[in-house]
Amino acid sequence: MLVLVGDMHRDMRTISLNFLSNARLRTHLLKEVEKHTLVVLDSWIENSIIFAQDEAKKFTFNLMAEHIMSLKPGKPETEQLKKEYITFMKGVVSAPLNLPGTAYRKALKSRSIILKFIEQKMEERVKKKTEDNDQNELLGWVLKNSNLSKEQVLDLVLSLLFAGHETSSVAIALCIYFLQGCPTAVRQLEEEHIEISKAKREFGETELSWDDYKKMEFTQCVISETLRLGNVVRFLHRKAIKNVRYKGYDIPCGWKVLPVIAAVHLDPSLFDQPWHFNPWRWLQNNTRGSQNATTASNNFMPFGGGPRLCAGTELAKLEMAVFIHYLVLNFRWELADTDEALAFPFVDFPKGLPIRVQRHAL
């Protein structure tokens, strides 16, 4: 989907947007996000060392695997697919040397295995003529409601499974990393989520509602600041489809253009103390490194922009908010070893972000 243009890009993007619409976020995906968050956090043992990046990837991968192909977390086929995706990811950022033993050769093999797996799932649904209960998953919905070819469906599922879990998990890991260094923000998050949790208990409710999500105002500030400072996607890939003249420069048709959005997010002329984690800058009428709405809309682009704005923007923010909700209500954490995010070219914690967790009940 990254390289498609014209009608095909429009059709695939429309399918993605329909399946990740606000209506589906409210009626279906919020419950799924909450369920998969609890599956991961409930497995954490008191006073143990957790590799936060791996746990975040487990959460987002399991969510997308079930959402796209109804794969259940912990099942052998889900775990095997996850293993192949890890190998595939390592090859995506490797030198393209198709030689035995290289990460690139291993990634090609894993990609082939993943595509065969998706094709097998497609055939199963075609044989049973895509029952109504398959409409809650993307694969079943696409097979019944679109005219995409088999190759296009394979590409769509491969792309969404990759895009839907990799960047979101890194964003969650970055959030955990930044918050352990900002106890004031953690305390304000605790206050916000205690209030939401207390109100739910008074009404005898347990599951989060859309109204609860909309009350997470400071949480959204933390998410915005994590995305600004962390820059999960540091630059965008674009290609000039015709000759372009921009600010005195000629960009010939066919040339690649890489807008570096990290340079904008870390520009001191746009953001006060840009290297400082300051979620309060996103509050309206604040006095702590203020960031007005106009400046934010023009210079804050963690999900890209225009007709290629990330289709999973709202899902990613929902995942982060729900994970933060249950994290701050149930755990305190600290770094168990020195680790920091590196970008080469994708953001990654070399040691997996080891943290020591302690349970508490707020």
Side-chain angles (χ1 to χ4, degrees), residues 246-259:
Y246 178 74
K247 292 190 175 181
Y249 290 90
D250 290 316
I251 303 173
C253 177
W255 276 39
K256 300 292 178 63
V257 181
L258 271 67

Side-chain angles (χ1 to χ4, degrees), residues 171-190 193 218-219 221-223 225-226 229 277 279-280 320 323-325 327-328 333-335 353:
I172 290 170
L174 283 165
C175 188
I176 293 171
Y177 174 75
F178 289 139
L179 285 174
Q180 61 82 32
C182 190
T184 307
V186 174
R187 284 195 294 272
Q188 189 159 335
L189 283 171
E190 288 175 350
H193 291 284
F218 184 66
T219 304
C221 295
V222 169
I223 291 170
E225 185 67 352
T226 297
L229 181 57
F277 181 74
W280 294 274
M320 293 181 72
F323 198 93
I324 290 170
H325 172 78
L327 179 67
V328 299
W333 67 97
E334 62 184 8
L335 285 181
L353 189 56

